[in-house]
Amino acid sequence: MIRSIFQKLLDKSGKSYIIDPKIPKSLIYITLSKRFFMLIRGFLKTGKKVFIGRNTIIHNVANISFGNNVTIDNNCQIDGFSSEKIQFGDCVKIGSYSTLSATSHLSKFGIGLKIGNNSAVGQFTQFGAAGGIEIGNDVIMGSYISFHSENHNFSDKTRLIREQGVTSKGIKIGNNVWVGAKVTFLDGCIVGNNSVVAAGAVVNGIYPDNSIIGGIPAKVLKSI
């Protein structure tokens, strides 16, 4: 009974997977209970139907757009202070212990983050979104992903690097992309649609659609 109810809830929320018949009922009860309390917490923090985990902090909620069934798990910090609206699409999930830093320094108001429908990041993800990050639909990412959408200037040898300011080209990831664990995205990189980024890659270039990329720095290994 509880399995069929949970499956109907999943279907209604837009989830396309079928519950494994080997999953015990006790785990389903635990999941439902957790989601219930996350929903209450989310409503209290945002006034909207958002699932928020324990000890998660969200600043400037008024500048954040939440789609349906957004989940921000435990111990996350979300900075909503940005020149453009932070946008979470439908069924977005942010893993535990992740941080979104939209404005990293008071000398420059950051641009922010846009993440599309059915996209998710794992635990300990860092969004450095001052220069702008755009992530498409159906993007799945592992844990310990980092985005750095700014780059320090250092060409003037007469001045300290920290005094030379930054450049911001932004980061863009297309639709239907799988990103392995511990990938680093650097400012100016663009990853095309229907692509795979191998675990541990340092992504700093522009990569076409249907590519498998990996390495330090990342290069196209082959086409899909």
Side-chain angles (χ1 to χ4, degrees), residues 14-123:
K15 301 292 186 180
S16 59
Y17 68 88
I18 304 298
I19 301 172
D20 188 329
K22 296 191 292 293
I23 296 292
K25 290 182 179 178
S26 57
L27 179 54
I28 295 176
Y29 279 116
I30 290 171
T31 302
L32 282 172
S33 176
K34 176 183 176 182
R35 297 290 288 175
F36 174 74
F37 287 110
M38 290 178 77
L39 182 59
I40 292 176
R41 194 179 295 114
F43 184 79
L44 292 174
K45 286 180 178 288
T46 69
K48 301 173 184 177
K49 185 184 175 183
V50 181
F51 297 87
I52 295 181
R54 298 185 306 274
N55 302 318
T56 285
I57 299 171
I58 302 178
H59 296 291
N60 200 23
V61 171
N63 195 48
I64 302 176
S65 173
F66 296 98
N68 296 320
N69 300 301
V70 171
T71 299
I72 302 175
D73 222 326
N74 302 328
N75 301 292
C76 293
Q77 295 191 43
I78 306 298
D79 164 18
F81 289 101
S82 58
S83 60
E84 297 182 8
K85 207 171 188 68
I86 304 294
Q87 296 181 21
F88 295 108
D90 296 342
C91 299
V92 164
K93 181 177 180 181
I94 307 298
S96 298
Y97 297 97
S98 296
T99 61
L100 165 58
S101 176
T103 295
S104 58
H105 196 275
L106 295 179
S107 62
K108 181 184 176 184
F109 199 34
I111 295 175
L113 166 71
K114 297 177 182 177
I115 180 167
N117 300 332
N118 304 304
S119 292
V121 297
Q123 297 179 340

